Amino acid sequence: MNLDAWRERSPMFEEMSDEHFAFLASLAEEREVPGGATLFRVNTPADRFYLVLEGTVALKIAGPSKPPMTIQTVGEGALLGLSWHLPPYRWQWTAETREPCRFAEFDANEVLAACETDSDFDNAMLRIIAREAGRRLHNVRIQLLDLYGRE
Amino acid sequence: MNLDAWRERSPMFEEMSDEHFAFLASLAEEREVPGGATLFRVNTPADRFYLVLEGTVALKIAGPSKPPMTIQTVGEGALLGLSWHLPPYRWQWTAETREPCRFAEFDANEVLAACETDSDFDNAMLRIIAREAGRRLHNVRIQLLDLYGRE
Amino acid sequence: MVVAPLITDTVTEPMMLRPFEVTAVTQETHDTWTLDLKVADGGDDLRFRPGQFTMMYVFGVGEVPISIAGNPSHPETLVHTVRAVGAVTNAICALRPGTVIGIRGPYGSSWPVVAATGRDIIIVAGGIGLAPVRPAIYHVLEHRESYGSVSIVYGSRTPSDLLYIDEIHDWKSRFDLNVQITVDRGDGTWMGDVGVVTPLLNRLSFDANHAAAILCGPEIMMRVIAKELARRGMPTADVSVSLERNVKCGVGFCGHCQIGASFICKDGPVVAYDDVADRLGMEEL
Amino acid sequence: MVVAPLITDTVTEPMMLRPFEVTAVTQETHDTWTLDLKVADGGDDLRFRPGQFTMMYVFGVGEVPISIAGNPSHPETLVHTVRAVGAVTNAICALRPGTVIGIRGPYGSSWPVVAATGRDIIIVAGGIGLAPVRPAIYHVLEHRESYGSVSIVYGSRTPSDLLYIDEIHDWKSRFDLNVQITVDRGDGTWMGDVGVVTPLLNRLSFDANHAAAILCGPEIMMRVIAKELARRGMPTADVSVSLERNVKCGVGFCGHCQIGASFICKDGPVVAYDDVADRLGMEEL
């Protein structure tokens, strides 16, 4: 897929070289998903990840006796799915489309195989994931501050 | 420093090779800090990181008109400080010791210089940071669920 | 663009308390009410600029500074949105139509909506912070053709903490506004965004060198947003923030709201982020 | 180690309601109260095993299942800790000493504290979940020499939501207990840990192959802890959890608490994590 236009609008891959990004993009499959669909389910093997090209996805968690709660929504420009590269390699949440979405979908095994053979590419991917996880960690901690509540 | 005993008790570095860990440990400076001391301050350059050998550290944030809030505490076995490897390379929080602490302190520039010259080591460090950030992200999201509140 | 403190041109007798009658009370959320008031002394309506505040005095209880939340081109109704968090605000939220209270003002600096004519407008509010920016939104919408793109980003604790929910739906329905809403915690029925406001900025289109940003909410939120706008190339001088402080007199007499050499009640509440980062040590946040 | 459902040996007439008098009421937190009760019909004290519950009936209001929170070796006082979240629990929390209510029970399975003799004990509770495990803590402490290391991990929303605060201080002060407390949100004065309970498990010493874990709290917490214990090598058969469900009759008649082929009220509330992961689809959490 050609993801150059997408890349320009998202700061996430700005540190990755054009060559590595082009290679990554060559592994993408375009996928359209209707609204209300489950992309992946918590605790199942995390064998994919997505770049969100259009639409919004809700990350949810539920217990057997509780209604599902939305932890976070991610929209256009986001990387959806870190668990394919982090132990225990299972989804931590369930992802559900909020509206019709378009994704660049990646087969994690294919990307990981490429990482095994090219340590520079591995390094570049790890850097993206570390930074994305760090950025989200910061955001979720701010959410936790409950800023809008009473003092 | 010899951090082998510490490493055995913390699962964090289990994926790093013995050689890389020994090299990392050779860059550590032991540091003892009394309780109530500020280790680093939010928004200042993140030029260090720590492994917590003993004691507990509180991560805090404050506004000019608000009392400081503790976001999280980290104790023995923890990696303290991810910002040295993540843009914008500034501390996101203020860290304050809760009690007398003992750390292995690392000069971020020294570690980053080693990463530049040895891409395998760089890779190993990135992997640790990505996983630690991912693990914390999962924990903070669970905190955000407000599990103990009323349904 | 300069957001220098402006001299308030509407208060001739700064300490004068004028009687206002409550004409309508609307409950916005579990702890927040909106009051409509009209002047009860037969005098002029209370004209104000977006971002200014009044001192509301409940006889026998006490006085608090509250930003004006109404439409500056309809000064015949003075609108205040108040969250019940203390003795005075609890008393205000318990008022019923027909009651008379005392009002002084308006006081303070204002959002630079006139200076921003021709620019793209980015308004970011958090929690109760939507109230002080609502007059700016009214102004911009009434002069919509004088501005470039207009974006409103609003973050709230939960869906039921959203203020002005009918108006938000109206704003969202417009084609000439980009409205992004997020909550920290969703509920079973909430189909909107969940998370902090920062990532929503990715969904806005604006010319960073020809825009004006208006931020009102928790200080940490304003700082994070200001940094993200700076990262996208926006000069911090073009970012205005509103500060809430311990204002008592409203006119710089009493010193309660003094920070450094300035008084929030006279030099604020609206200031350029530049000044705030420096004077209030917000970079130390 | 098997945590199979045990037949309750103390209830001869399972549906019999006995009068109990409230003898003391203690407010634990803003919404949670602890009641001491004594039997008012002149009959035997209500003997129970740690983890069992009773049905509490407020005359004219309704009935709810509540875990027993007292000391199993002091059955002369029946202790219940109740959070006011509905009509019946609100009525219970408003009771004053001298009032008589109806009690049926005890019902249900119990924590395997006897089977765990000789093992290391790990008790993890979250929120109101400390109440159902407190009888197990009493048992273990009264037979302290019969166990290896004993650890108590307790997570709460805020410092002011901690139950049994005086007892927690007593437990912390002991050299033969490892007590770890954390809250999701600190406040200005809280000097303890802040964050989820999982990282606290790193501070516990236990022999994973010779330990018993007792978990009680939100299901997500129990699942995360069970997984972490499994990662440290503990067989999931040695992990017991307590389930709270919509128990109505207490004896398997009515079907309200049925899940799959079992009834919480008869086969639970305490079950092996093994069974729960399977039967309740907790792996799908």
Side-chain angles (χ1 to χ4, degrees), chain C residues 17-18 54-64 88 92 95 100-104:
Chain C
L17 200 62
R18 299 177 64 195
T54 76
M55 299 299 295
M56 298 182 81
Y57 180 62
V58 182
F59 299 113
V61 183
E63 195 180 45
V64 283
V88 183
I92 292 172
L95 294 173
V100 172
I101 65 170
I103 297 277
R104 295 191 286 131

Side-chain angles (χ1 to χ4, degrees), chain B residues 74-127:
Chain B
V74 296
E76 191 183 325
L79 167 65
L80 174 59
L82 302 175
S83 302
W84 62 281
H85 213 315
L86 303 171
Y89 308 103
R90 287 174 171 267
W91 298 116
Q92 304 283 341
W93 319 98
T94 292
E96 201 178 285
T97 54
R98 276 282 173 86
E99 53 192 333
C101 289
R102 206 159 56 82
F103 300 103
E105 185 182 60
F106 297 85
D107 177 328
N109 289 323
E110 208 177 344
V111 177
L112 288 169
C115 288
E116 291 248 331
T117 58
D118 179 348
S119 73
D120 283 354
F121 178 67
D122 188 23
N123 203 298
M125 282 306 299
L126 271 172
R127 204 171 292 268

Side-chain angles (χ1 to χ4, degrees), chain A residues 64-65, chain D residues 51 53 65 67 109 111 132 215-219 222 240-247 257 259 262-265 267-273 275-277 279-280 282:
Chain A
S65 63
Chain D
F53 65 94
S67 290
S109 57
W111 301 112
L215 316 186
C216 190
E219 286 159 357
M222 293 195 289
S240 305
V241 302
S242 178
L243 305 170
E244 281 184 59
R245 282 295 180 292
N246 192 23
V247 170
C257 64
I259 296 178
S262 324
F263 295 90
I264 298 290
C265 67
D267 306 326
V270 175
V271 294
Y273 179 69
D275 298 339
V276 147
R279 286 191 303 172
L280 295 186
M282 282 183 88

Side-chain angles (χ1 to χ4, degrees), chain C:
Chain C
M1 190 177 74
V2 178
V3 214
L6 299 163
I7 301 303
T8 305
D9 54 11
T10 39
V11 183
T12 45
E13 292 283 352
M15 295 302 277
M16 194 177 81
L17 200 62
R18 299 177 64 195
F20 275 70
E21 183 187 329
V22 178
T23 57
V25 180
T26 310
Q27 183 163 7
E28 298 282 351
T29 75
H30 73 106
D31 65 357
T32 303
W33 279 259
T34 292
L35 280 71
D36 291 358
L37 303 113
K38 70 172 184 199
V39 67
D41 61 6
D44 290 341
D45 295 330
L46 190 144
R47 296 188 171 273
F48 68 100
R49 289 194 306 277
Q52 290 193 296
F53 65 95
T54 76
M55 299 299 295
M56 298 182 81
Y57 180 62
V58 182
F59 299 113
V61 183
E63 195 180 45
V64 283
I66 303 283
S67 290
I68 305 171
N71 190 331
S73 64
H74 290 287
E76 65 278 10
T77 306
L78 174 66
V79 181
H80 279 296
T81 297
V82 182
R83 185 187 236 176
V85 290
V88 183
T89 50
N90 269 296
I92 292 172
C93 290
L95 294 173
R96 291 293 160 258
T99 317
V100 172
I101 65 170
I103 297 277
R104 295 191 286 131
Y107 299 121
S109 57
S110 57
W111 301 112
V113 284
V114 175
T117 303
R119 292 174 177 250
D120 292 339
I121 303 291
I122 302 147
I123 293 170
V124 184
I128 187 82
L130 188 60
V133 304
R134 192 166 69 153
I137 295 173
Y138 285 135
H139 179 94
V140 169
L141 293 184
E142 289 196 357
H143 305 84
R144 182 66 191 84
E145 69 292 349
S146 304
Y147 298 94
S149 71
V150 178
S151 306
I152 299 173
V153 178
Y154 179 33
S156 168
R157 189 162 187 270
T158 71
S160 60
D161 289 309
L162 292 165
L163 300 181
Y164 315 134
I165 190 70
D166 292 340
E167 249 168 342
I168 286 174
H169 284 295
D170 289 346
W171 296 339
K172 265 189 88 68
S173 72
R174 293 175 67 133
F175 288 106
D176 60 354
L177 274 184
N178 182 351
V179 177
Q180 301 286 338
I181 313 283
T182 189
V183 299
D184 274 348
R185 293 152 201 282
D187 58 27
T189 61
W190 174 247
M191 288 301 287
D193 283 297
V194 178
V196 292
V197 289
T198 333
L200 300 183
L201 296 189
N202 288 336
R203 304 188 191 161
L204 312 189
S205 304
F206 56 88
D207 176 352
N209 287 307
H210 203 65
I214 285 174
L215 316 185
C216 190
E219 286 160 357
I220 292 170
M221 182 203 89
M222 293 195 289
R223 172 172 168 266
V224 169
I225 295 294
K227 292 202 148 193
E228 178 64 15
L229 292 173
R231 201 192 59 77
R232 288 190 55 178
M234 198 161 159
T236 49
D238 293 342
V239 177
S240 305
V241 302
S242 178
L243 305 170
E244 281 185 60
R245 282 296 180 290
N246 192 23
V247 171
K248 296 284 185 206
C249 71
V251 291
F253 286 168
C254 74
H256 268 99
C257 63
Q258 193 167 15
I259 296 177
S262 323
F263 296 90
I264 299 290
C265 67
K266 287 176 65 190
D267 305 325
V270 174
V271 295
Y273 179 70
D274 266 1
D275 297 338
V276 147
D278 189 41
R279 286 190 303 171
L280 295 186
M282 281 184 88
E283 290 300 321
E284 274 289 10
L285 263 178

Side-chain angles (χ1 to χ4, degrees), chain D residues 121-161:
Chain D
I121 303 290
I122 302 148
I123 294 171
V124 184
I128 187 83
L130 187 60
V133 304
R134 192 165 69 151
I137 295 173
Y138 285 134
H139 179 94
V140 168
L141 293 185
E142 289 196 358
H143 305 84
R144 181 67 191 82
E145 69 292 348
S146 304
Y147 298 94
S149 71
V150 178
S151 306
I152 300 173
V153 178
Y154 179 34
S156 168
R157 190 163 186 271
T158 70
S160 59
D161 289 311

